[in-house]
Amino acid sequence: EAQFVESGGGSVQAGGSLRLSCAASGGNSGHAYGNYVIAWFRQASGKGREAVAGIRSTGSTLYADSVKGRFTISQDNAKKTFYLQMNSLKPEDTAMYYCAAGYPAVWDFSQGYDVWGQGTQVTVSS
């Protein structure tokens, strides 16, 4: 069974940058289906889980409007690691960030993902 471990979170001032990593282990490495998605979600205190960015097995990327132009999702298949580069961070980006994998009918619906990491905290101060 696949497992994810996130890292790279921390505290940063507004306008700063962080790069989150999601290391995958186990599972089936042959995910060739077109609608397989690796995604980053975030959950701020007292709020629901929100999709941030995703990458399909085809390599196409997906972003929430709130992070377009600031965040970039990427992958290193050799290292089985996925990244979320976050630039121009804002206080409203403060949240626990999770990576997830699955075959969602709609990429930004968390119910479509069946593998989740434990999360890494990002705190952005003004």
Side-chain angles (χ1 to χ4, degrees):
E1 182 175 322
Q3 293 184 327
F4 290 154
V5 176
E6 301 95 334
S7 62
S11 297
V12 64
Q13 289 190 327
S17 299
L18 284 173
R19 189 177 80 157
L20 306 183
S21 299
C22 173
S25 62
N28 181 359
S29 61
H31 291 293
Y33 300 106
N35 60 339
Y36 184 75
V37 181
I38 300 285
W40 286 94
F41 283 77
R42 66 186 180 188
Q43 187 165 17
S45 179
K47 296 188 177 181
R49 197 162 289 190
E50 172 191 28
V52 175
I55 185 165
R56 298 188 185 280
S57 58
T58 57
S60 61
T61 55
L62 306 146
Y63 294 97
D65 288 343
S66 60
V67 306
K68 280 181 182 176
R70 299 189 299 122
F71 291 11
T72 303
I73 189 171
S74 62
Q75 60 186 349
D76 183 331
N77 289 329
K79 294 182 178 180
K80 297 180 70 175
T81 301
F82 301 84
Y83 304 97
L84 184 68
Q85 178 66 44
M86 306 186 296
N87 299 327
S88 302
L89 283 162
K90 304 175 181 180
E92 52 264 43
D93 295 319
T94 295
M96 184 71 79
Y97 283 71
Y98 302 88
C99 59
Y103 294 88
V106 180
W107 84 273
D108 55 353
F109 280 16
S110 61
Q111 294 89 337
Y113 295 83
D114 54 6
V115 180
W116 291 84
Q118 294 184 330
T120 185
Q121 177 68 37
V122 171
T123 302
V124 184
S125 58
S126 58

